[in-house]
Amino acid sequence: MNRLLYLFFLLFYQFCCAQNAADPFLLESERILSPIDSIGHPALVGRSNSGKVWRPHFTYVDSINIDHITYLSDGLRIKGYLVQPKKKGNYPCVIFNRGGVKEFGALGLVQAIGLLGEIARHGYVVIASQYRGNGGSEGREEYGGADLNDVLRLI
């Protein structure tokens, strides 16, 4: 059984690596060029004489890229985030599965910086889905039904 499972994962890995980098399911990717200008959350941003500054724990934001993404899942336009280190390199990927139902738990820029960015700053690419019916995504949430495909499509 272990050998069969290993073979499955090996074939799955090779399939994923063989995919064209220009993924036909990724519809849009928009870089958030200046996150500090897009956010005013007092836990993340403070003020100085020169304007907004990151609070000491969030200065790492300058070392990561944050992208809003839109991708196809079962023919629906699904929103999400892609957060990664700015430094070029090969990084392991973490698929972040948010909790909550409907808009409770949906990801915003504050969560992208505070949760996903915290993981990315340690050398990971982090990708997260809003799930269908949430955060601007098309469709209807099914609480673990077909919306599971929204996570699987991230691979």
Side-chain angles (χ1 to χ4, degrees), residues 16-24 26:
C16 290
C17 290
Q19 296 299 304
N20 187 339
D23 188 341
L26 182 63

Side-chain angles (χ1 to χ4, degrees), residues 10-24 155:
L10 181 63
L11 290 172
F12 181 74
Y13 176 78
Q14 289 174 342
F15 171 78
C16 290
C17 290
Q19 296 299 304
N20 187 339
D23 188 341
I155 296 170

Side-chain angles (χ1 to χ4, degrees), residues 1 32 42 111 120 122 138:
M1 181 64 177
I32 300 171
Q111 292 83 8
H122 293 288
E138 295 177 345

